[in-house]
Amino acid sequence: MNINEQRILHSWATNAKPWTRVVRDQLIESRALVTDKAIVEAVVELEPRTFLDIGCGEGWLCRELFCRGFDGWGVDGITELIESARCLGDIRFVVSSYSDLPLQKFGSINQFDCFICNFSLLGECALGEIAQAGKSLLADKGKIIIQTLHPLIACDDSAYSDGWRETSWQGIGLESFDPTPWYFRTIESWIREFHLKNYRLLKLIEPCHPKSKKPVSILFIFERLS
Amino acid sequence: MNINEQRILHSWATNAKPWTRVVRDQLIESRALVTDKAIVEAVVELEPRTFLDIGCGEGWLCRELFCRGFDGWGVDGITELIESARCLGDIRFVVSSYSDLPLQKFGSINQFDCFICNFSLLGECALGEIAQAGKSLLADKGKIIIQTLHPLIACDDSAYSDGWRETSWQGIGLESFDPTPWYFRTIESWIREFHLKNYRLLKLIEPCHPKSKKPVSILFIFERLS
């Protein structure tokens, strides 16, 4: 694991408690107005019998989907976040690195109809680890739903090309955060990498902010090929 | 045909002569530096035995591909542009609207390995007409290669949503142009519409400007499903 991948895990362990408060208090406008709804709608439209929410954080999306009758599990690499998730009562949350996913037990579920990665593929290796996990943990024609910052919006003044970036974490509400690096990918790169790993793009969605009318995020829905 | 689709044809007939000069003198920087190379490379990588260059204009791309040993035809709705193309000697250019493509004769070629649409799907109907033409004129697993302005760059300050836009044609070199409307599509829309018409996205390419390092265009390569 390179130094940036280590820094991501370290930062998120540090940020777990303020992050949990920020998410539960709905303090991030783009999530409250656009992206929470976008990921829920994308999952609901697929009608998966079972889902695995990878990088589930404090678990809001799992709870939202449990309420709507979908069975599934949340998994996160950060112990403190999974503790936050389990605190609210449901036991379907487990700590795991993305590379160790195939080794985990998820109750009676052996294969999932879909993986969900909601703003949770942050490092360079995550994409490959998820694609690999899908070979054993996704059902035939299983889907991977990814939501991430829209690359052209997130690119800012930098070159539009793959590479590590530093976040400029703003404080949110009264909370402050440990800055964490993340790996920027172009739209071309997201699609190319999954296609090379024997998935195909089913759908691409660009949710727009109701005021600016510009996309704030992008969703990719990939299907595992046999 | 609605008024905007009519205006597109009218403008291009008016612009045919100055456009031919501008293209042949390589006066458009983004074409000279980025997008000409991008479309040629995309076609060459597919190694099609036969191609149909739809909206071929004065024919530079056909000639480039003929030189490289690919057999094919150029087609354009504007008589004046096809006359410009034929002037240089090759007869493999034909006038046709996009909707009439299935009625045309292309020498001994009955089906093509690929369609090429290089900045030539300008109106709202063009996408559907091309997709429909592919049902009869594309071989099984035939490809459609589209290059267009990158939607997020072309969007400017407008809302990021499908709709008709007015061009702000700048004069190029000493030439001036009749302004023409065009139909803006989001990336989501390009992919959704072809997927609905039984094509699938094989590849997406975002060629960047060597100086700004930002994408200037986007290429979609779709494959016809059986």
Side-chain angles (χ1 to χ4, degrees), chain A residues 150 152-153 155-161 186-189 191-192 195 199-208 212-215 218 225, chain B residues 150 152-153 155-161 186-189 191-192 195 199-208 212-215 218 225:
Chain A
H150 200 296
L152 263 148
I153 306 299
C155 187
D156 283 332
D157 295 333
S158 310
Y160 187 72
S161 56
T186 64
I187 302 174
E188 173 178 336
S189 167
I191 295 173
R192 181 187 64 236
H195 281 195
Y199 292 81
R200 72 163 178 138
L201 185 72
L202 276 190
K203 193 169 180 180
L204 181 152
I205 306 168
E206 297 174 297
C208 288
S212 73
K213 312 286 187 195
K214 299 292 186 188
I218 192 166
L225 297 174
Chain B
H150 199 296
L152 263 147
I153 306 299
C155 186
D156 284 331
D157 295 333
S158 309
Y160 186 73
S161 55
T186 65
I187 302 174
E188 174 178 335
S189 167
I191 296 173
R192 181 187 63 235
H195 281 195
Y199 292 82
R200 72 165 177 136
L201 183 73
L202 276 190
K203 196 169 177 179
L204 180 153
I205 306 169
E206 296 173 298
C208 286
S212 73
K213 313 285 187 196
K214 298 293 187 187
I218 192 166
L225 298 173

Side-chain angles (χ1 to χ4, degrees), chain A residues 60-81:
Chain A
W60 75 270
L61 180 54
C62 287
R63 288 189 297 277
E64 184 71 36
L65 295 171
F66 294 158
C67 284
R68 290 164 184 256
F70 297 102
D71 191 15
W73 282 72
V75 60
D76 204 288
I78 308 298
T79 306
E80 292 84 345
L81 287 167

Side-chain angles (χ1 to χ4, degrees), chain A residues 116-130:
Chain A
I116 305 167
C117 306
N118 190 45
F119 298 106
S120 61
L121 301 185
L122 304 171
E124 183 175 3
C125 302
L127 186 159
E129 291 166 353
I130 296 305

Side-chain angles (χ1 to χ4, degrees), chain B:
Chain B
M1 191 182 294
N2 80 23
I3 184 75
N4 280 325
E5 309 273 355
Q6 285 171 27
R7 279 185 60 205
I8 291 175
L9 293 177
H10 178 81
S11 293
W12 280 98
T14 306
N15 294 331
K17 284 205 166 52
W19 180 253
T20 297
R21 289 192 291 267
V22 156
V23 169
R24 292 188 182 167
D25 293 345
Q26 291 259 301
L27 294 182
I28 305 174
E29 193 205 33
S30 60
R31 290 190 169 234
L33 288 181
V34 185
T35 67
D36 285 0
K37 186 161 166 271
I39 191 76
V40 171
E41 284 181 357
V43 176
V44 168
E45 194 185 312
L46 284 183
E47 299 185 358
R49 282 162 306 177
T50 52
F51 69 86
L52 184 62
D53 181 4
I54 300 172
C56 66
E58 57 70 56
W60 76 270
L61 179 55
C62 288
R63 290 189 296 278
E64 183 71 36
L65 295 171
F66 294 157
C67 284
R68 290 165 185 255
F70 298 102
D71 190 16
W73 282 72
V75 60
D76 204 287
I78 308 298
T79 306
E80 293 84 345
L81 286 168
I82 291 298
E83 284 169 358
S84 285
R86 284 180 159 242
C87 261
L88 297 187
D90 203 292
I91 58 133
R92 288 171 283 178
F93 293 97
V94 62
V95 179
S96 173
S97 69
Y98 295 177
S99 56
D100 283 345
L101 284 173
L103 309 175
Q104 306 301 327
K105 294 268 169 263
F106 303 100
S108 61
I109 303 175
N110 294 316
Q111 285 199 312
F112 295 90
D113 284 350
C114 81
F115 284 179
I116 306 168
C117 306
N118 190 44
F119 297 106
S120 60
L121 301 186
L122 304 172
E124 184 175 3
C125 303
L127 186 158
E129 290 167 353
I130 296 304
Q132 181 60 33
K135 308 283 176 196
S136 55
L137 283 176
L138 274 180
D140 187 37
K141 300 206 170 183
K143 314 294 188 282
I144 301 182
I145 308 178
I146 294 159
Q147 181 165 222
T148 186
L149 292 176
H150 199 296
L152 263 147
I153 306 299
C155 186
D156 284 331
D157 295 333
S158 309
Y160 186 73
S161 55
D162 287 11
W164 284 97
R165 305 279 177 93
E166 290 295 318
T167 45
S168 53
W169 268 104
Q170 310 281 331
I172 303 170
L174 298 175
E175 310 289 354
S176 62
F177 293 93
D178 187 37
T180 176
W182 61 291
Y183 192 79
F184 177 88
R185 282 183 195 281
T186 65
I187 302 174
E188 174 178 335
S189 167
W190 281 106
I191 296 173
R192 181 187 63 235
E193 292 304 310
F194 274 102
H195 281 195
L196 283 171
K197 291 170 169 60
N198 211 30
Y199 292 82
R200 72 165 177 136
L201 183 73
L202 276 190
K203 196 169 177 179
L204 180 153
I205 306 169
E206 296 173 298
C208 286
H209 195 286
K211 291 178 213 157
S212 73
K213 313 285 187 196
K214 298 293 187 187
V216 288
S217 68
I218 192 166
L219 286 90
F220 302 97
I221 304 180
F222 293 100
E223 181 177 83
R224 185 191 148 190
L225 298 173
S226 310

